[in-house]
């Protein structure tokens, strides 16, 4: 035989479940916590009220997951290309952090309003325009550069023409490479194109394919390589960290000159 308390308990549970179903159907972005704001269960006390809240929340979550799964399936059937494009856009706006749970998206990419963004995710800004011809594949390019771990406290790993501690006292000289040969950081290879001798450009390189490769910790195959021990340590601390560190890098690049090949296939110095 059920007493009055049992009947009240069942009544509260039925009200909570019906209210949950009504909320899910009427609100596209339902969250279980909204149930506890206006529910009659707020006036209930004791273990029965807590039990009802847990059951109602579980029902709400289950129905929400089913509804989301249905919408995703409908999108896939309507056009898989649209779903893939949306996913690519989301990944482009998210910084990869290996230390996070794979289900989590990571940190949102910082977008600088005065920088130009490219489809690959690179960002750049011209601080000074140069003159002359821009480099193309096969040209030998000479640059002066600085590097900062902009995603992690803005620590410097390469400094030019100023002293930041004893390790940075030496003048490292210019960096030379052949554009398009694969010997340069992919982000810089893309970012330097379009520059002219004498120009200065700030280039923000996101983590991933545009950054330093994980299998070249000495940066001998793909440069530029920091010229000091302290600079190398500062850079590798960020690149090799498996925790929650944003590996976005900032490069300040000055294009010194572009050397073209002559008819004999030899590079001729082209000072500006």
């Amino acid at each position: 035989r059920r007493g009055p308390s049992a009947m009240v308990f069942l009544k509260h549970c039925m009200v909570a479940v019906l209210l949950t179903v009504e909320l899910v159907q009427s609100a596209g972005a339902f969250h279980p916590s909204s149930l506890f704001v206006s529910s009659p269960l707020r006036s209930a006390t004791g273990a029965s009220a807590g039990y009802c809240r847990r059951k109602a929340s579980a029902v709400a979550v289950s129905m929400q997951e089913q509804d989301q799964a249905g919408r995703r399936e409908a999108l896939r059937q309507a056009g898989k290309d649209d779903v893939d494009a949306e996913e690519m856009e989301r990944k482009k706006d998210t910084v990869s952090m290996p230390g996070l749970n794979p289900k989590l998206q990571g940190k949102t990419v910082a977008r600088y309003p005065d920088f130009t963004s490219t489809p690959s995710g690179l960002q750049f800004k011209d601080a000074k325009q140069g003159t002359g011809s821009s480099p193309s594949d096969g040209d030998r390019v000479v640059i002066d550069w600085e590097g900062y771990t902009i995603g992690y406290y803005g620590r410097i790993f390469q400094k030019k023409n100023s002293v930041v501690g004893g390790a940075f006292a030496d003048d490292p000289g210019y960096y030379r490479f052949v554009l398009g040969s694969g010997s340069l950081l992919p982000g810089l290879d893309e970012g330097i194109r379009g520059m002219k001798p004498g120009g200065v450009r700030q280039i923000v390189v996101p983590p991933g394919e545009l950054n330093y490769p994980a299998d070249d910790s000495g940066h001998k195959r793909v440069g530029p390589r920091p010229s000091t021990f302290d600079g190398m340590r500062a850079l590798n601390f960020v690149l090799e960290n498996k925790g929650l560190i944003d590996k976005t890098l900032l490069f300040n690049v000055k294009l010194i000159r572009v050397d073209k090949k002559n008819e004999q296939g030899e590079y001729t110095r082209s000072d500006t």
Side-chain angles (χ1 to χ4, degrees):
R1 181 180 178 182
R2 295 188 178 121
S5 61
M7 296 300 295
V8 171
F9 169 79
L10 290 175
K11 181 180 178 181
H12 284 168
C13 285
M14 291 177 64
V15 170
V17 171
L18 290 174
L19 182 60
T20 299
V21 172
E22 185 175 338
L23 285 170
V24 171
Q25 292 176 344
S26 61
F30 171 78
H31 191 277
S33 62
S34 63
L35 178 65
F36 307 135
V37 175
S38 57
S39 171
L41 293 176
R42 291 283 292 181
S43 60
T45 59
S48 62
Y51 176 79
C52 287
R53 284 195 295 267
R54 290 192 295 272
K55 294 293 288 183
S57 179
V59 171
V61 171
S62 177
M63 295 187 67
Q64 184 186 23
E65 290 177 346
Q66 293 178 9
D67 184 58
Q68 290 175 346
R71 287 199 297 268
R72 287 195 297 268
E73 182 61 27
L75 283 173
R76 290 191 180 93
Q77 293 178 359
K80 185 175 183 299
D81 293 340
D82 294 338
V83 176
D84 291 341
E86 182 179 350
E87 180 67 10
M88 288 179 64
E89 285 297 318
R90 184 192 66 78
K91 289 182 177 179
K92 190 168 66 175
D93 290 333
T94 304
V95 175
S96 174
M97 292 183 177
L100 284 176
N101 186 305
K103 295 182 179 180
L104 300 179
Q105 296 182 1
K107 169 186 171 184
T108 302
V109 173
R111 297 293 180 186
Y112 302 95
D114 52 345
F115 278 62
T116 299
S117 297
T118 70
S120 67
L122 193 77
Q123 299 181 70
F124 69 89
K125 173 185 177 181
D126 286 316
K128 179 183 177 182
Q129 295 288 346
T131 58
S133 301
S134 299
S136 56
D137 286 341
D139 291 342
R140 185 174 65 187
V141 182
V142 182
I143 63 172
D144 192 5
W145 69 287
E146 295 178 335
Y148 301 84
T149 59
I150 191 175
Y152 184 71
Y153 296 110
R155 291 180 176 173
I156 183 172
F157 60 89
Q158 179 73 11
K159 182 67 175 177
K160 182 65 178 174
N161 293 332
S162 67
V163 178
V164 182
F168 293 97
D170 296 332
D171 185 350
Y174 297 142
Y175 181 70
R176 298 168 176 81
F177 59 91
V178 175
L179 191 64
S181 65
S183 62
L184 185 68
L185 190 73
L188 288 185
D189 189 289
E190 177 185 344
I192 287 174
R193 297 174 186 270
M195 292 185 67
K196 297 178 179 180
V200 178
R201 178 172 288 182
Q202 293 179 295
I203 303 173
V204 177
V205 179
E209 296 179 355
L210 296 179
N211 215 305
Y212 286 98
D215 59 350
D216 184 31
S217 60
H219 312 302
K220 295 180 179 179
R221 187 178 79 251
V222 177
R225 183 175 187 268
S227 58
T228 67
F229 173 78
D230 282 4
M232 183 77 76
R233 183 172 60 178
L235 174 61
N236 285 346
F237 174 81
V238 171
L239 296 180
E240 297 175 2
N241 192 286
K242 304 301 181 182
L244 308 181
I245 287 185
D246 181 354
K247 296 175 172 54
T248 302
L249 304 177
L250 168 67
F251 293 88
N252 294 332
V253 177
K254 179 178 181 180
L255 182 56
I256 304 300
R257 69 173 191 270
V258 178
D259 297 337
K260 303 281 187 179
K261 285 185 176 180
N262 57 23
E263 296 179 355
Q264 290 73 35
E266 300 173 343
Y267 287 105
T268 58
R269 185 178 175 119
S270 175
D271 291 316
T272 59

